[in-house]
Coordinates of all heavy atoms in Angstrom, one line a residue:
S60 N 2.5 -9.6 11.9 CA 3.5 -8.5 11.9 C 3.4 -7.6 10.7 O 3.5 -6.4 10.7 CB 4.9 -9.1 12.1 OG 5.1 -9.6 13.4
E61 N 3.2 -8.3 9.6 CA 3.1 -7.6 8.3 C 1.9 -6.6 8.3 O 2.0 -5.5 7.9 CB 3.0 -8.5 7.1 CG 2.9 -7.9 5.8 CD 2.8 -8.9 4.6 OE1 3.3 -10.0 4.8 OE2 2.2 -8.5 3.6
H62 N 0.8 -7.2 8.8 CA -0.4 -6.3 8.8 C -0.3 -5.2 9.8 O -0.8 -4.1 9.6 CB -1.7 -7.2 9.1 CG -2.1 -8.1 8.0 ND1 -2.6 -7.5 6.8 CD2 -2.2 -9.4 7.9 CE1 -3.0 -8.5 6.0 NE2 -2.7 -9.7 6.6
L63 N 0.3 -5.5 11.0 CA 0.4 -4.5 12.0 C 1.3 -3.3 11.5 O 1.1 -2.2 11.8 CB 1.0 -5.1 13.3 CG 0.0 -6.0 14.0 CD1 0.6 -6.7 15.2 CD2 -1.3 -5.2 14.5
G64 N 2.4 -3.7 10.8 CA 3.2 -2.7 10.2 C 2.5 -1.7 9.3 O 2.7 -0.5 9.3
K65 N 1.6 -2.3 8.5 CA 0.8 -1.4 7.6 C -0.1 -0.5 8.4 O -0.3 0.7 8.1 CB -0.1 -2.3 6.7 CG 0.8 -3.0 5.6 CD -0.1 -3.9 4.7 CE 0.8 -4.6 3.7 NZ 0.0 -5.4 2.8
L66 N -0.8 -1.0 9.5 CA -1.7 -0.2 10.3 C -0.9 0.9 11.0 O -1.4 2.0 11.2 CB -2.4 -1.1 11.3 CG -3.5 -2.0 10.6 CD1 -3.9 -3.1 11.6 CD2 -4.7 -1.2 10.1
V67 N 0.3 0.6 11.5 CA 1.1 1.6 12.2 C 1.6 2.7 11.2 O 1.4 3.9 11.4 CB 2.4 0.9 12.9 CG1 3.3 2.0 13.3 CG2 1.9 0.1 14.1
A68 N 2.1 2.2 10.0 CA 2.5 3.2 9.0 C 1.4 4.0 8.5 O 1.6 5.2 8.2 CB 3.1 2.4 7.8
G69 N 0.1 3.5 8.5 CA -1.0 4.3 8.1 C -1.6 5.2 9.1 O -2.5 5.9 8.9
G70 N -1.1 5.1 10.3 CA -1.5 6.0 11.4 C -2.7 5.5 12.2 O -3.1 6.2 13.1
L71 N -3.2 4.3 12.0 CA -4.3 3.8 12.8 C -3.9 3.2 14.1 O -4.6 3.2 15.1 CB -5.1 2.8 12.0 CG -6.0 3.3 10.9 CD1 -6.7 2.2 10.2 CD2 -7.1 4.3 11.5
L72 N -2.6 2.7 14.2 CA -2.1 2.1 15.4 C -0.8 2.8 15.8 O -0.1 3.3 14.9 CB -1.8 0.6 15.2 CG -3.0 -0.3 14.8 CD1 -2.5 -1.8 14.8 CD2 -4.2 -0.1 15.7
T73 N -0.5 2.7 17.0 CA 0.8 3.1 17.5 C 1.4 1.9 18.2 O 0.7 0.9 18.6 CB 0.7 4.2 18.6 OG1 -0.1 3.8 19.7 CG2 0.1 5.5 18.0
E74 N 2.7 1.9 18.3 CA 3.4 0.7 18.9 C 4.4 1.2 19.9 O 4.9 2.3 19.9 CB 4.1 -0.1 17.8 CG 5.3 0.5 17.2 CD 5.9 -0.4 16.1 OE1 5.6 -1.6 16.1 OE2 6.7 0.1 15.4
E75 N 4.6 0.3 20.9 CA 5.6 0.5 21.9 C 6.4 -0.9 22.0 O 5.8 -1.9 21.9 CB 5.0 0.7 23.3 CG 4.1 1.8 23.5 CD 3.3 1.7 24.8 OE1 3.7 0.9 25.7 OE2 2.4 2.5 25.0
R76 N 7.7 -0.7 22.1 CA 8.5 -2.0 22.3 C 8.9 -2.1 23.8 O 9.3 -1.1 24.4 CB 9.7 -1.9 21.4 CG 9.4 -2.0 20.0 CD 10.5 -2.7 19.2 NE 10.2 -2.7 17.8 CZ 9.7 -3.8 17.2 NH1 9.6 -4.9 17.9 NH2 9.5 -3.9 15.9
Q77 N 8.7 -3.3 24.3 CA 9.2 -3.6 25.7 C 10.0 -4.9 25.6 O 9.4 -5.9 25.4 CB 8.0 -3.7 26.6 CG 7.3 -2.4 26.9 CD 6.2 -2.6 27.9 OE1 5.9 -3.7 28.4 NE2 5.5 -1.5 28.2
G78 N 11.3 -4.7 25.6 CA 12.1 -5.9 25.4 C 11.9 -6.4 24.0 O 12.0 -5.7 23.0
R79 N 11.6 -7.7 23.9 CA 11.4 -8.3 22.5 C 10.0 -8.2 22.1 O 9.6 -8.7 21.0 CB 12.0 -9.7 22.4 CG 12.0 -10.5 23.7 CD 12.5 -11.9 23.4 NE 11.3 -12.7 23.3 CZ 11.3 -14.0 23.1 NH1 12.4 -14.6 22.9 NH2 10.2 -14.6 23.0
H80 N 9.1 -7.7 22.9 CA 7.7 -7.6 22.6 C 7.3 -6.3 22.0 O 7.8 -5.2 22.5 CB 6.9 -7.9 23.8 CG 7.0 -9.3 24.3 ND1 6.5 -10.4 23.7 CD2 7.7 -9.8 25.4 CE1 6.8 -11.5 24.4 NE2 7.5 -11.1 25.4
R81 N 6.4 -6.3 21.1 CA 5.9 -5.1 20.5 C 4.4 -5.0 20.9 O 3.7 -6.0 20.6 CB 6.1 -5.1 19.0 CG 5.4 -4.0 18.3 CD 5.7 -3.9 16.8 NE 5.1 -5.0 16.0 CZ 4.9 -4.9 14.7 NH1 5.2 -3.8 14.1 NH2 4.3 -5.9 14.1
Y82 N 4.0 -4.0 21.5 CA 2.6 -3.8 21.9 C 2.0 -2.7 21.0 O 2.7 -1.7 20.7 CB 2.5 -3.3 23.3 CG 2.9 -4.4 24.3 CD1 4.2 -4.6 24.7 CD2 1.9 -5.2 24.8 CE1 4.5 -5.6 25.6 CE2 2.2 -6.2 25.7 CZ 3.5 -6.4 26.1 OH 3.8 -7.4 27.0
V83 N 0.8 -3.0 20.5 CA 0.1 -2.0 19.7 C -1.2 -1.6 20.3 O -1.8 -2.4 21.1 CB -0.1 -2.6 18.2 CG1 1.2 -2.8 17.5 CG2 -0.9 -3.8 18.2
R84 N -1.6 -0.4 20.0 CA -2.9 0.0 20.4 C -3.4 1.0 19.3 O -2.7 1.4 18.5 CB -2.9 0.7 21.8 CG -2.1 2.0 21.8 CD -2.2 2.7 23.2 NE -1.5 2.0 24.2 CZ -2.0 1.5 25.3 NH1 -3.3 1.7 25.6 NH2 -1.3 0.8 26.2
L85 N -4.7 1.3 19.4 CA -5.3 2.2 18.5 C -4.6 3.6 18.7 O -4.3 3.9 19.9 CB -6.8 2.3 18.6 CG -7.6 1.1 18.1 CD1 -9.0 1.2 18.5 CD2 -7.5 1.1 16.6
A86 N -4.4 4.4 17.7 CA -3.6 5.6 17.7 C -4.4 6.8 18.3 O -4.1 7.9 18.0 CB -3.1 5.9 16.4
G87 N -5.3 6.5 19.2 CA -6.0 7.6 19.9 C -7.5 7.5 19.7 O -8.1 6.6 19.1
R88 N -8.2 8.5 20.3 CA -9.7 8.5 20.3 C -10.2 8.5 18.9 O -11.2 7.9 18.6 CB -10.2 9.7 21.1 CG -11.6 9.6 21.4 CD -12.1 10.7 22.3 NE -12.0 12.0 21.7 CZ -11.3 13.0 22.2 NH1 -10.7 12.9 23.4 NH2 -11.2 14.2 21.6
Q89 N -9.6 9.3 18.0 CA -10.2 9.4 16.6 C -10.1 8.1 15.9 O -11.0 7.8 15.2 CB -9.4 10.5 15.9 CG -9.8 11.9 16.3 CD -9.2 13.0 15.4 OE1 -8.0 12.8 15.1 NE2 -9.9 14.0 15.0
A90 N -9.0 7.4 16.1 CA -8.9 6.1 15.4 C -9.9 5.1 15.9 O -10.6 4.4 15.2 CB -7.5 5.5 15.6
A91 N -10.1 5.1 17.3 CA -11.1 4.3 17.9 C -12.5 4.6 17.4 O -13.3 3.7 17.1 CB -11.1 4.4 19.4
Q92 N -12.8 5.9 17.3 CA -14.2 6.4 16.8 C -14.4 5.9 15.4 O -15.5 5.5 15.0 CB -14.3 7.9 17.0 CG -14.5 8.3 18.5 CD -14.4 9.8 18.6 OE1 -14.0 10.5 17.8 NE2 -15.0 10.2 19.8
L93 N -13.3 6.1 14.6 CA -13.5 5.7 13.2 C -13.8 4.2 13.1 O -14.7 3.8 12.4 CB -12.2 6.0 12.4 CG -12.1 5.5 11.0 CD1 -13.1 6.2 10.1 CD2 -10.7 5.6 10.4
V94 N -13.1 3.3 13.8 CA -13.3 1.9 13.8 C -14.7 1.6 14.3 O -15.5 0.8 13.7 CB -12.3 1.1 14.5 CG1 -12.6 -0.4 14.7 CG2 -10.9 1.3 13.9

Side-chain angles (χ1 to χ4, degrees):
S60 290
E61 181 180 332
H62 285 297
L63 291 172
K65 290 178 182 182
L66 290 165
V67 169
L71 284 177
L72 302 184
T73 60
E74 68 179 347
E75 302 171 11
R76 291 211 181 257
Q77 292 183 1
R79 27 177 263 179
H80 295 287
R81 172 171 72 155
Y82 290 88
V83 294
R84 67 175 69 241
L85 289 168
R88 188 174 69 236
Q89 285 184 319
Q92 288 173 339
L93 175 66
V94 173

